[in-house]
Amino acid sequence: MLRLENIIKDFGGLRVLDSLSLQVGEGLIFGLIGPNGAGKTTLFNIISGLSRPTAGRVIFNGTDITHLPPSSIAACGMGRTFQNIRIFKELSLLENVLAGMHRLFTYSPVAMLLNLPVQKREEKALREKALEILELFHLAGKAKRQAESLSYGEQRKLELARALATSPKLLLVDEPAAGMNPAETEELMGEIVQINNRGYTICLIEHDMKFVMGVCRQVAVLNFGELIALGSPQEVKCNPLVIEAYLGKEECK
Amino acid sequence: MTEFLMSFWQTYNTLFYTVLVHGMLALSIYITLACGQLSLGNAAFMGIGAYTAALFTLKLNAPFGLSLLAGGMLPAFVALIIGVPTLRLSGVYLAMATLGFGEVVRVVFLNMSITGGSVGLNGVPPKTELWHLLLVMGVLIYFFLKLKNSRFGRALEAIREDEVAAAVMGIKTTSFKVWAFVIGAFIAGVAGGLNAHFTFFLSPREYGFDFAVDILTFAILGGTGTFWGPLVGSTILTILPEMLRFLGSYRLALNGLILVLVVVYLPNGIITVKKKD
């Protein structure tokens, strides 16, 4: 589904990603882990078009998206969330999700001005769908509230809901559990699996190992911009390179 | 009683006309602010619209509607030329570009012979009637009401809130920003055309930096959370100096004081949208 070919990214003289090749298969929950500064978020930025690789190609569903702008990449079916939550704070929860559905709306400016049936129909249908998505994250009851009023963990969930609203084929999730308490994390794991069961492929960055080991089917480990391990959570966990670079000894049991 | 109303209207009709024109200008800057962009060129767009419409009437004897349309189209076209390169970038580039642009326009008006140079244009026929202004304002309010809860309005708000996140949602941020800027220029141009046809006289000085800041103040004072804010702001700021006329030379000081108080106590403007918490 997603194929990265020899991605190189330099920031000035610093090589953050070094000839990275990786494949994410359809239907997976794919985990991307590694120490801080390993280049995980940089990789997400390259995949979603926010930053350009110095060399290499990003192939998504057979299309070369390396040089497309973010909005076109989103239109190809790529959704994402951000490490430092970027919800639309002054909009309501419902408006956040509806903004995420932007590309699912098709009515023209003329339909907007004349209140044509096509507008009413789309607005009604997608509003219902938006509430369904919010419900998935137990947020539907707060649909009319301002996004800013949510707790930190809820804001993360709202961002996930908004990304899901774009109807993505692949969902890039950057540290979904950061700042969540254990109960929230537990709940989130269930939600991630549920989203995956609905047919969305998910690629996530996460530092919470319990989370990664619990939901991911395949895990890739980055260290200083290089792929040092790839495999099932169990394989990766006991890989000596990974233990040395990132996990420490206790994790492999 | 009727006599009193007649004389009241005789005295204040120009003020009422000006309130409506300023309202249009406030809306013209609101649409760019709605997607997080600051345009300081709306006074210049108004000027281009005013001169274009006046020249269409004076030189070509064009019907009023056509003059106004031309007065809207030319600024819109100019906005497209400025907007495409500057709005590809995020940040303050539009503010910088339009700031310079306003100065260029003023100097051009000062030096072209067709615009009458520093003397300006005299004797523009008084064609603007109250219903013209009310009609245009009505259309604008209708437009902004429809925009508000549509996919286009939401896209603008999303861009204002977080441009990167909006792009990742598949919103074509550059084209929305350009459209908002072009529509704003069109509105300012039409307002300029309407204004030119009741003030009889145009001078390049009216469309300078001072007035660009006045337009921005309309929007900021009223609040930019909804389009009603700029309308309220422009109405207050247009009427206030007249109401304070009895203070003589102190009126500008009191005018300024009221502004400061509003900004201190209502930082989001007079009309503040509050969502349920």
Side-chain angles (χ1 to χ4, degrees), chain B residues 6 82 155-156 186:
Chain B
M6 285 296 282
I82 307 174
L156 291 178
F186 183 85

Side-chain angles (χ1 to χ4, degrees), chain A residues 41-58:
Chain A
T41 297
T42 306
L43 188 62
F44 266 21
N45 286 343
I46 287 172
I47 299 172
S48 55
L50 296 177
S51 119
R52 304 260 169 263
T54 311
R57 298 203 305 162
V58 183

Side-chain angles (χ1 to χ4, degrees), chain A residues 86 89-90 107 113 115, chain B residues 142 146 151 154 161-162:
Chain A
R86 302 187 84 143
K89 288 194 172 133
E90 288 190 17
Y107 64 83
L113 287 176
N115 247 353
Chain B
Y142 179 81
K146 290 292 158 202
R151 70 183 182 109
R154 276 193 301 269
E161 291 286 300
D162 191 325

Side-chain angles (χ1 to χ4, degrees), chain A residues 30-103:
Chain A
F30 188 95
L32 194 57
I33 62 173
N36 287 326
K40 305 181 295 294
T41 297
T42 306
L43 188 62
F44 266 21
N45 286 343
I46 287 172
I47 299 172
S48 55
L50 296 177
S51 119
R52 304 260 169 263
T54 311
R57 298 203 305 162
V58 183
I59 314 285
F60 183 49
N61 277 331
T63 322
D64 186 342
I65 59 164
T66 322
H67 296 289
L68 293 181
S71 59
S72 309
I73 293 179
C76 293
M78 183 93 69
R80 78 165 282 185
T81 68
F82 295 88
Q83 190 177 357
N84 49 340
I85 309 177
R86 302 187 84 143
I87 52 171
F88 305 131
K89 288 194 172 133
E90 288 190 17
L91 305 189
S92 71
L93 273 64
L94 183 64
E95 286 167 332
N96 265 276
V97 177
L98 284 171
M101 288 178 164
H102 180 78
R103 71 186 188 93

